[in-house]
């Protein structure tokens, strides 16, 4: 059975990546709540669409950060450990998130 330290090192977000992602996601949550208020207040459609696009770009930024962590940690460790299943998993992840 793997220790928490081993699991943390090989399969999860690096602590600094997780911390940054949580901060970014909190900001995005605020953006989404603001968009909801805009809709309730009957704001102009283009303004709402602009804010939605901004939130989507912010989510894309978090996804890029998590993807890099996945490649640096999870995929690299699996390749070093001769795990042949990582290639199938990686293909699924890449084509799902392109």
């Amino acid at each position: 059975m793997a220790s928490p330290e081993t699991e943390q090192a090989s399969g999860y977000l690096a602590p600094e990546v997780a911390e940054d992602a949580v901060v970014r996601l909190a900001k995005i949550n605020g953006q989404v709540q603001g968009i909801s208020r805009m809709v309730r207040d009957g704001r102009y459609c283009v303004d709402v669409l602009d804010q939605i696009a901004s939130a989507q770009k912010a989510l894309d930024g978090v996804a890029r950060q998590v993807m890099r962590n996945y490649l640096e940690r999870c995929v690299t460790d699996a390749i070093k450990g001769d795990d042949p299943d990582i290639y199938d998993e990686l293909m699924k992840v890449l084509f799902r998130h392109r």
Side-chain angles (χ1 to χ4, degrees):
M1 187 165 155
S3 70
E5 294 82 13
T6 305
E7 288 178 350
Q8 186 67 24
S10 66
Y12 301 104
L13 291 172
E16 63 277 4
V17 173
E19 238 178 87
D20 188 58
V22 167
V23 169
R24 289 172 172 228
L25 289 167
K27 290 177 184 177
I28 294 165
N29 184 41
Q31 280 182 289
V32 171
Q33 289 176 6
I35 294 166
S36 183
R37 280 190 302 276
M38 290 175 75
V39 170
R40 271 196 315 273
D41 295 345
R43 295 280 301 271
Y44 186 56
C45 295
V46 174
D47 294 340
V48 174
L49 290 169
D50 286 345
Q51 290 305 309
I52 291 170
S54 177
Q56 287 173 326
K57 287 184 191 308
L59 279 171
D60 287 344
V62 175
R64 279 192 301 278
Q65 187 179 37
V66 172
M67 178 66 80
R68 181 175 183 103
N69 181 92
Y70 169 66
L71 292 170
E72 288 177 346
R73 295 170 65 98
C74 306
V75 173
T76 299
D77 289 350
I79 290 170
K80 286 179 182 176
D82 291 326
D83 179 358
D85 296 333
I86 193 61
Y87 299 105
D88 292 331
E89 180 182 276
L90 180 57
M91 292 300 291
K92 287 177 188 172
V93 169
L94 289 174
F95 282 96
R96 188 177 339 149
H97 296 280
R98 61 183 176 129

